[in-house]
């Protein structure tokens, strides 16, 4: 996300990433057009083959081929069109690498349209919204000024301002706190007795069953910055508290101490599915659907 400012890639690398993104969105559009066209053709009844007769030949000069009664026109979905235009006209590309993005994109390919919760609002936000076309993608961001700046350019993104009270330098103490029994109890974060549970989000954040959760915020890049300790714990708690099914949870910047230790402790190494670069992918099942399931396998 925006707050994880990394060193700028060389210009050639930025151009390559941008071209890859544009091609990916264009291929997605072609796929949508092809599937819609195929569906329309299957629904139409086949026309009987015309018989070749003298009268048909005689009238061929005046007869015109009939047009479809209900012609269809497939437009690019707004989220896809906006993403194509945005990434084609900017030199700023998402902070995640192409291979890291593919990890989440593969899951979205299977689950979209779905509910996708993202901690952080950044240069990749429009891409996530486009990849989840038809679903709901929500962004939680701690910087009010940044939210307003993004809204001026990309008004269609759904984002909410949130606050984090803990700092990176508190990580060790919070990790110890997270080992207490009250932090192993699965519940709605709002009713949790665990100090790590975030309770100040809009109510619908807790009420929606999220299919994917991406933790790429808050900043967490120095000791006095808001850390991701609570965000990682709360993402895991939300995933476990769904009624049934499972949630794919992604944590970025796992090269940093907080993201590394807290993702292993509260998203659990037993639920780890893949790590690509600085991104870890966990698949966490519902703990409400099967009573007695341990916090970590």
């Amino acid at each position: 996300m925006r707050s994880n400012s990394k060193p700028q890639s060389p210009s050639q690398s930025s151009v390559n990433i941008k071209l890859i993104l544009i091609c990916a969105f264009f291929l997605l559009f072609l796929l949508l057009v092809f599937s819609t066209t195929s569906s329309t053709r299957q629904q139409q009844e086949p026309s009987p083959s015309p018989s070749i007769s003298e009268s048909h030949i005689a009238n061929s000069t005046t007869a015109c081929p009939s047009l479809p009664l209900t012609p269809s026109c497939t437009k690019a979905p707004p989220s896809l069109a906006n993403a194509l235009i945005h990434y084609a006209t900017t030199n700023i590309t998402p902070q995640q690498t192409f291979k890291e993005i593919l990890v989440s994109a593969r899951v979205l390919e299977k689950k979209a349209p779905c509910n996708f919760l993202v901690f952080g609002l950044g240069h990749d936000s429009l891409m996530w919204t486009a990849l989840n076309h038809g679903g709901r993608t929500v962004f939680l961001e701690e910087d009010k000024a940044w939210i307003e700046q993004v809204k001026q350019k990309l008004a269609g993104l759904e984002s909410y301002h949130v606050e984090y009270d803990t700092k990176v330098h508190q990580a060790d103490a919070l990790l110890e706190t997270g080992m207490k029994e009250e932090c192993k109890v699965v519940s709605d974060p709002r009713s949790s007795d665990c100090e790590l549970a975030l309770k100040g989000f809009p109510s619908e954040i807790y009420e929606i069953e999220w299919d994917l959760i991406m933790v790429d915020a808050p900043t967490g890049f120095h000791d006095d910055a808001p850390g991701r300790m609570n965000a990682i714990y709360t993402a895991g708690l939300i995933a476990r508290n769904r009624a049934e099914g499972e949630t794919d949870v992604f944590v970025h910047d796992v090269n940093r101490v907080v993201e590394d230790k807290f993702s292993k402790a509260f998203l659990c190494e037993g639920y780890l599915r893949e790590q690509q670069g600085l991104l870890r992918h966990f698949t966490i099942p519902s703990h409400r659907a099967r009573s007695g399931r341990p916090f970590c396998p």
Side-chain angles (χ1 to χ4, degrees), residues 21-37 73-81 84 130-131 133:
L21 285 171
I22 293 173
C23 289
F25 287 126
F26 182 69
L27 288 173
L28 177 60
F29 172 60
L30 288 178
L31 180 61
L32 288 170
V33 172
F34 178 77
S35 62
T36 302
T37 304
C73 178
T74 302
K75 296 182 180 180
S79 59
L80 177 58
L84 280 168
L131 291 174
H133 170 65

Side-chain angles (χ1 to χ4, degrees), residues 135-151:
R136 185 174 184 181
T137 307
V138 177
F139 303 92
L140 304 177
E141 170 63 39
E142 80 267 25
D143 188 337
K144 276 186 176 181
W146 176 246
I147 292 176
E148 293 305 315
Q149 185 178 338
V150 171
K151 280 185 175 180

